[in-house]
Amino acid sequence: MSSDTVPVSPLDEDLRFDAVDLIGRPGAHRRIERTIAAPAREAGGAAMQVPEGNALAVEAELESVVEGIYAHGSVRAHLEGECSRCLDPVDQDVEARLDEMFMYPEKVKADELEDSVLLEDDKVNLGPLVRDALAMEADERPLCREDCPGLCPQCGFRMEDDPEHGHEIIDDRWAALKTLLDEDSDGSDGSARSDSSDSSDATGGTAGSEGR
């Protein structure tokens, strides 16, 4: 992560802490606590997220070390989302661990810059760390309950409301044959009736001739 990273979320501003009093003083440390209102849900983000306006409580220790500022602590939040099977509302209380080393840029080798988190303008930005920690702690495929039957794959019916719900499914490969068999069955009945009628007429006609 480069030192000129531009904030992309309100969290990057609300959870940015000045560390100038700790820089260059190995062993010095400072505790921070901050509760902020969660920003709008991130489109395409984790299935479980903090609803907009709900509290995000961050507690952390900033500790000065030779390489930079070591931040460790936790974030507590209430997450909400939808059941991955039936789409009913689901919620989850989490406490996620925060653990990151914010490196002094001059302490990082050129080939390690891309994989390092840098101290930015003498400030520690916990925003990305909090987002990642919550995403890691949240259920990836949340369920309202373990045995949730979900929705009918054919029509979207909620299976919880009627466990016996179902559809007759005909393989497309046999659908045309079934149609032909149905038509043939109808035609055979008609032929049988026609043959029977013709036979009756012929019998009646012969009997009438003998009578004459």
Side-chain angles (χ1 to χ4, degrees):
M1 179 186 297
S2 64
S3 58
D4 60 351
T5 300
V6 177
V8 295
S9 164
L11 291 183
D12 295 319
E13 291 295 348
D14 295 337
L15 296 177
R16 188 182 292 266
F17 299 92
D18 199 326
V20 67
D21 58 320
L22 303 175
I23 294 175
R25 299 177 56 199
H29 57 89
R30 173 160 49 90
R31 183 173 179 79
I32 57 175
E33 296 183 9
R34 184 168 294 178
T35 299
I36 65 170
R41 288 179 64 96
E42 182 182 349
M48 300 291 289
Q49 296 188 37
V50 185
E52 183 176 2
N54 278 26
L56 274 170
V58 176
E59 297 181 3
E61 191 84 13
L62 302 183
E63 183 178 351
S64 178
V65 297
V66 174
E67 297 85 0
I69 304 297
Y70 174 49
H72 56 97
S74 64
V75 54
R76 297 190 311 276
H78 179 77
L79 311 181
E80 294 183 1
E82 294 180 338
C83 175
S84 59
R85 292 180 186 169
C86 71
L87 306 183
D88 276 2
V90 178
D91 59 9
Q92 177 187 7
D93 290 317
V94 299
E95 181 170 356
R97 176 74 182 169
L98 305 177
D99 193 6
E100 188 66 85
M101 173 67 77
F102 292 83
M103 301 288 293
Y104 295 138
E106 64 273 16
K107 296 287 186 178
V108 182
K109 297 178 180 179
D111 59 351
E112 297 176 349
L113 280 172
E114 187 175 346
D115 298 322
S116 300
V117 178
L118 305 183
L119 194 66
E120 304 170 354
D121 300 324
D122 298 337
K123 292 180 173 61
V124 169
N125 180 9
L126 297 184
L129 184 59
V130 165
R131 285 199 305 273
D132 292 346
L134 290 176
M136 290 291 291
E137 193 69 24
D139 291 336
E140 186 176 355
R141 293 180 59 82
L143 294 174
C144 58
R145 69 172 197 266
E146 289 297 325
D147 61 345
C148 174
L151 303 177
C152 172
Q154 273 72 49
C155 68
F157 180 81
R158 190 171 180 271
M159 297 299 293
E160 176 74 13
D161 296 336
D162 181 9
E164 301 301 321
H165 173 82
H167 298 268
E168 180 183 3
I169 301 175
I170 301 175
D171 192 316
D172 291 341
R173 295 171 296 178
W174 298 104
L177 178 58
K178 182 178 184 303
T179 300
L180 289 174
L181 290 174
D182 290 343
E183 292 176 351
D184 184 60
S185 175
D186 292 341
S188 297
D189 292 345
S191 298
R193 289 193 297 270
S194 177
D195 292 345
S196 176
S197 176
D198 292 345
S199 175
S200 298
D201 290 345
T203 303
T206 303
S209 297
E210 291 177 351
R212 288 193 298 272

